[in-house]
Amino acid sequence: MAACALRRGLLSSVSKYNKKHTHRILSVADSTSGFEAFRPRFQCRACGLPGAVQPRRFMSSRPEGKILETVGVFEAVKQHGKYETGQLFLHSVFGYRGIVLFPWHARLYDRDITPATPMSENEAEPPGAHGSKEVKGKTHTYYQVLIDTRDCPHISQRSQTEAVTFLANHDDSRALYAIPGLDYVSHEDILPYNSAEQVPIQHELFERFLMYNPAKSPPFTARDTLKAWQEKNHPWLELSDVHRETTENIRVTVIPFYMGVREAQNAHVYWWRYCIRLENLSNEVVQLRERHWRIFSLAGTLETVRGRGVVGREPVLSKEQPAFQYSSHVSLQSPCGHMWGTFRIERTDGSHFDIRIPPFSLESNKDNKGSPAGYKF
């Protein structure tokens, strides 16, 4: 299966590859403009025929007279097996360039149900209920990746580029720090490509974690610093459970991470971060307006949290920009708990509906693993 082309910044789902010709990925050089939805016409440089790539969705940074530069050549998408450390890729949803550091094997709990009846505003399901349907997890591959910092400004309105946060190693129990440009990517979101550049990704950790080795494929191998950092931070980086549910063609995916425990006012405070991705699977334009959380702790407390939007935003989900991803944090004075809830979504006609946030566990089973190393090697 031959390689195919895509311009950098494009949001795409490739469904067909041309078997005869190679297509290049083009990059907008020094573009400072925002993303603009469009449907480019692909043309093979060898035969001049259009349609070598059959796109489902597209987004691109607007060139505005900028020069397009070749950044790489597409490779075949892997239907089986996993991508190796050093694999270059485009994110099929958010369009950024990245490189794989190492894989995670997670348990995916996909509820994929639509409520038969609308939920009342005061509905309070016990953890894990959601129609009392038992959901069994299946193994799914995710990847720890570095994001090219040149692409971060273009995706900042659709996805947070500080997806990994740690508890600071000092007495302030609420202090957090983040590693910019570090993300978790599902296997199906990887669009692999290769490049002749020895430093194809701009990120401050690229050359500390990876080295160029033309004898290998992909030609980037892990340095000892990456292996040591992964081993030291494994408990705080590990992606173990992924929860997914679709309501009214809006899919919500939640990934929780345990961060550790700190003491505050003679009590233990347990911290978690959680990453949420919303995807609009329809052609309808909708906007997230409100969030409604239920947080249950092992101590028997049930907390309700309501508010406008998420992380200070009320994202619009459209056919051209169908997804939004963010991270947040929660703390409990108990080692275990559950979270579940709803997002209120508004249609263009002003009507509203609620979508479910799948229930997920907050577990603290890694307290004996020491403190996160962060940038320390």
Side-chain angles (χ1 to χ4, degrees), residues 57 93 189 244 249-253 277-282 317 322-324:
R57 301 189 190 108
V93 175
D189 288 337
R244 182 183 294 166
N249 287 317
I250 308 295
R251 181 163 56 196
V252 179
T253 304
R277 177 162 134 185
L278 296 98
E279 293 178 85
N280 184 358
L281 306 180
S282 72
L317 305 177
F324 180 79

Side-chain angles (χ1 to χ4, degrees), residues 27-43:
S27 170
V28 179
D30 300 320
S31 174
T32 57
S33 59
F35 274 177
E36 176 184 49
F38 84 126
R39 290 192 175 276
R41 290 188 293 271
F42 287 88
Q43 187 177 53

Side-chain angles (χ1 to χ4, degrees), residues 167 173-174 176 258-262 268-274 295-297 301 303 328-336 339 362:
L167 290 177
S173 64
R174 298 182 61 85
L176 304 173
Y258 178 58
M259 298 177 65
V261 60
R262 292 290 183 269
H268 287 94
V269 179
Y270 298 83
W271 282 85
W272 293 264
R273 72 178 183 274
Y274 54 91
I295 307 169
F296 176 81
S297 76
T301 61
E303 181 182 1
S328 191
H329 304 86
V330 62
S331 62
L332 299 175
Q333 291 187 355
S334 174
C336 298
M339 289 180 66
L362 303 173

Side-chain angles (χ1 to χ4, degrees), residues 43-54:
Q43 187 177 53
C44 176
R45 297 182 180 183
C47 66
L49 295 176
V53 178
Q54 303 294 328

